[in-house]
Structure formats: structure tokens, C-alpha cells
Amino acid sequence: MQQAPAALAVALALTATACGAAGERAADRPAGTPSGTVRSPAALPPALTPGQARAALITAGDLGEAWEPTRGAATWRDEVLKTASEGTARDGCRRLLDALYTEDLFGGSAAAAPRATAALDDTDTGAQLHYRITSYRAADLNRTLAWLATLPDTCGHVGTRAAGAAREVRVTALTPPETGDARVGLRVTVRDTAATEDGTLTVDVIAVRIGDDALSLTHGTLGTPSGTATRTATETGTARLTEARRQGRAQV
């Protein structure tokens, strides 16, 4: 029941910000340059310094006593996410699963590399939360958000088979907190159709743009991720990224 409101919220946010982003970035793009053309690093907006980006990260203390810095990648990364991606023929779905496996929602180019990252474990439930700060052009960040928003329709339900396992992948919209300039949320579930017990992996995905910076998080577990932890990470992270951007402008 949340899919339509979430999609509408994303569409409204992206529509509102696209006009502003187009005006703000018009001077950065030579006339007649196609949107897909790779531009020189000089055309990129000023990025956060490493210190500013680290200051915008969330910490285990923000989420509660059960959380701590990660001790390593969760076993379901290779066992479920990677194998599901390898068995998926549909391009959009495979791109999403690949992005979840690598934690790289905004692309693999050096220009879009994350400025700072954090990985946290919930010792009570086995959940793992990965959090990233990325600096890039607002228009490019918006394109990623727009693509993510299409996935409940284009990759809503698909079957995969790899490494001898048949799995069912579902992608639904998830309503994110009303933060930042534009935002999108997804819930991705991967279920082993042959399992006698419920071993469904669920990954909640949130991405929020603030100007030419963005935060992204994936919160996954063999069960149901805590909505409270996801919301806290999103709201706390947005506030810190906003403050880091403010301090960065004040120092210029």
C-alpha cells in the first residue's frame, strides 16, 4: 500500500529539484554537450574534504547499544546477494543486486567514488548497515535516484537460478523520511524458493541527495530490518551532512 505514495513523493521531489539543478549546473555544461558525455574533473562541483565527509557519517552510538563497528562482511553477501545477481538475466535487476553487493549505488567511476563510509553490525539480530557519503553533480545524483524509483515497476518480481539455488527477488517501494532535496527508498527481498524454513534476506535501501552530495545506506538481515534504525540513520546522517556542507561553505 506504500508503493504509490512513495513513488509520488520521489517524483515530486525530483521534479522540484531538477529545475533548480538545471539552472545551477547550466554554466558547468558547454552548450550542446550530451548528458551522457564524460566531462573533465574541472566541471565537477567542489567536494567535501575527507574530514568533512567523515564528520557526516553515522556511528554505532547513534543506533543503540546492540550496534557496533562491523567485524566483516555478512555471510549472506556472497551466499545470497552475489548468487542471486549472477542468476538474474534482467538487466535492471542485476544492476541493482550488483549495486547492493558492492555497496555502490551511484556508479563505479572514480569521480563518483564515496568520500566516506561506515559499516555497522547489530549484534542482537545479525543485521548489517552500510552507509556512504558521495559527492557528485546534482543532476547525476538525480539520475541515479530516478532510476532507483523505477525499479518497483521494472524489477518488481523476478526469479533467479545460480549455484544450484532457485531464488525469488522482489523489489517494492519504501517510504523514506522527508529529508534532503530528493530521496528514494526501496525494500529488496531475496527468498530461497526451495528452503524448508524462512531464510528470506531483506535489504532496505535509502538514498538522499543534498545539493551536490548524497548519502546512501543499505540495511540488510535474514529477517526484517529495524525501521527505527533505518529512519534514525537517515535522519541523523542527513542532519550531519547538511552541517558539514554548511561548515564547508563557511570556510571557503
Side-chain angles (χ1 to χ4, degrees), residues 102-202:
T102 61
E103 297 296 335
D104 193 1
L105 291 179
F106 288 104
S109 70
R115 305 292 296 173
T117 65
L120 306 171
D121 292 342
D122 184 337
T123 56
D124 286 347
T125 67
Q128 191 165 80
L129 191 149
H130 284 243
Y131 188 93
R132 292 190 165 204
I133 301 293
T134 301
S135 299
Y136 207 39
R137 288 176 291 260
D140 294 307
L141 297 174
N142 275 347
R143 273 191 285 274
T144 297
L145 295 180
W147 167 69
L148 290 170
T150 68
L151 292 176
D153 293 326
T154 61
C155 182
H157 182 197
V158 64
T160 76
R161 179 175 288 277
R167 291 190 169 89
E168 175 189 76
V169 180
R170 289 182 180 270
V171 182
T172 57
L174 184 69
T175 303
E178 291 289 329
T179 58
D181 299 324
R183 67 210 68 84
V184 68
L186 298 173
R187 170 163 287 183
V188 181
T189 60
V190 184
R191 184 176 70 89
D192 186 342
T193 58
T196 57
E197 299 181 0
D198 185 15
T200 300
L201 169 65
T202 303

Side-chain angles (χ1 to χ4, degrees), residues 28-242:
D28 291 341
R29 186 188 311 148
T33 300
S35 59
T37 300
V38 176
R39 303 178 187 90
S40 67
L44 293 173
L48 297 172
T49 67
Q52 290 165 346
R54 287 193 297 270
L57 292 173
I58 61 167
T59 68
D62 298 320
L63 302 183
E65 294 182 358
W67 290 86
E68 62 180 28
T70 189
R71 297 180 180 179
T75 56
W76 44 257
R77 290 199 164 276
D78 283 336
E79 294 175 1
V80 181
L81 272 182
K82 186 176 182 180
T83 56
S85 175
E86 292 172 347
T88 300
R90 197 176 299 176
D91 289 344
C93 301
R94 181 161 188 164
R95 178 184 168 190
L96 171 64
L97 292 173
D98 284 344
L100 295 182
Y101 179 69
T102 61
E103 297 296 335
D104 193 1
L105 291 179
F106 288 104
S109 70
R115 305 292 296 173
T117 65
L120 306 171
D121 292 342
D122 184 337
T123 56
D124 286 347
T125 67
Q128 191 165 80
L129 191 149
H130 284 243
Y131 188 93
R132 292 190 165 204
I133 301 293
T134 301
S135 299
Y136 207 39
R137 288 176 291 260
D140 294 307
L141 297 174
N142 275 347
R143 273 191 285 274
T144 297
L145 295 180
W147 167 69
L148 290 170
T150 68
L151 292 176
D153 293 326
T154 61
C155 182
H157 182 197
V158 64
T160 76
R161 179 175 288 277
R167 291 190 169 89
E168 175 189 76
V169 180
R170 289 182 180 270
V171 182
T172 57
L174 184 69
T175 303
E178 291 289 329
T179 58
D181 299 324
R183 67 210 68 84
V184 68
L186 298 173
R187 170 163 287 183
V188 181
T189 60
V190 184
R191 184 176 70 89
D192 186 342
T193 58
T196 57
E197 299 181 0
D198 185 15
T200 300
L201 169 65
T202 303
V203 183
D204 285 349
V205 183
I206 302 289
V208 178
R209 181 183 67 78
I210 306 171
D212 293 304
D213 300 296
L215 64 86
S216 59
L217 69 88
T218 59
H219 181 191
T221 185
L222 294 173
T224 302
S226 164
T228 299
T230 299
R231 174 172 290 275
T232 299
T234 304
E235 293 177 340
T236 301
T238 300
R240 288 186 182 154
L241 180 54
T242 300

